[in-house]
Amino acid sequence: MSANKSLQLTLAIIKPHVIKNQVALTKIRKLILDNEFQIVRNERISISRSSAESFYAEHSQRFFYTRLITFMSSGPSDVYILARRDAISKWRELLGPTKVYKTIISHPESIRGKFGISDTRNAAHGSDSQETAEKEIKFFFPNFDVKIWFSNHEPEFRAGNTVFNEEIFLHEIKE
């Protein structure tokens, strides 16, 4: 990684149907690592219906909202804070478009092209902007302070002064 340009954070959610499929989850995690993302935080959570409603509130008037809320609260999801240069655009590039039926044809090697089942069960979520990433990170990791991470930890992550702990799927600063 370049020592000059600071890293960017993004939120990634691996959706319930992928968590139930260990092969798919393993392949997505390998893609994350192969694309030089560092895992800053991760947690497996069961998103409550009320939390899903709050997180996806901007879609509340859309036709797919109820189906999305029901699905996202149907089982555990993995939620990650990912770091790398241009993390938001790179993660969204790996995800591919949200419309799975088109994505299977247009971006068959993308995460959604390989592991998406439908537009709702499209395998994973990614923040679409820096502002959204910060808001979404705070939603799922309320004790994580983005500003403190950038001032205290980002230089260590950027310099590659981390070690990957495979057992807990997390990068940790070397001691």
Side-chain angles (χ1 to χ4, degrees):
M1 296 205 177
S2 167
N4 304 351
K5 188 174 179 189
S6 58
L7 303 181
Q8 186 178 57
L9 297 175
T10 193
L11 184 90
I13 302 173
I14 309 302
K15 295 185 177 184
H17 74 283
V18 175
I19 300 305
K20 294 174 187 172
N21 180 340
Q22 190 61 46
V23 172
L25 178 60
T26 299
K27 288 182 179 183
I28 291 172
R29 284 179 162 192
K30 183 176 180 338
L31 270 170
I32 289 169
L33 296 173
D34 288 350
N35 282 276
E36 300 179 354
F37 285 97
Q38 295 183 75
I39 297 81
V40 174
R41 294 282 185 282
N42 87 43
E43 190 170 347
R44 178 160 294 167
I45 61 169
S46 292
I47 301 171
S48 69
R49 185 169 185 86
S50 62
S51 287
E53 288 170 348
S54 179
F55 185 74
Y56 290 106
E58 69 185 75
H59 299 301
S60 65
Q61 299 305 311
R62 308 286 304 270
F63 71 93
F64 58 82
Y65 178 72
T66 301
R67 186 176 53 216
L68 177 62
I69 298 310
T70 301
F71 170 61
M72 291 304 294
S73 59
S74 71
S77 295
D78 278 1
V79 184
Y80 307 140
I81 299 175
L82 303 178
R84 68 160 274 163
R85 283 182 20 253
D86 302 317
I88 294 168
S89 63
K90 183 61 179 178
W91 178 240
R92 290 180 67 81
E93 176 186 321
L94 288 174
L95 287 175
T98 56
K99 304 282 185 202
V100 168
Y101 296 115
K102 291 179 181 179
T103 301
I104 290 169
I105 295 166
S106 67
H107 296 78
E109 295 303 311
S110 69
I111 290 170
R112 290 173 173 154
K114 289 179 181 179
F115 307 110
I117 297 171
S118 69
D119 293 352
T120 303
R121 297 172 189 236
N122 62 8
H125 166 85
S127 304
D128 63 5
S129 69
Q130 187 64 51
E131 179 182 71
T132 302
E134 289 183 23
K135 183 178 97 178
E136 292 177 347
I137 287 167
K138 187 153 198 64
F139 185 91
F140 285 105
F141 298 93
N143 296 323
F144 182 86
D145 189 309
V146 171
K147 287 183 173 75
I148 289 174
W149 185 84
F150 272 101
S151 64
N152 296 349
H153 304 293
E154 187 275 342
E156 298 287 347
F157 275 77
R158 182 173 12 112
N161 193 23
T162 61
V163 62
F164 179 66
N165 184 331
E166 190 172 340
E167 189 175 310
I168 59 173
F169 195 68
L170 189 71
H171 285 84
E172 301 169 313
I173 295 175
K174 293 177 189 173
E175 304 234 353

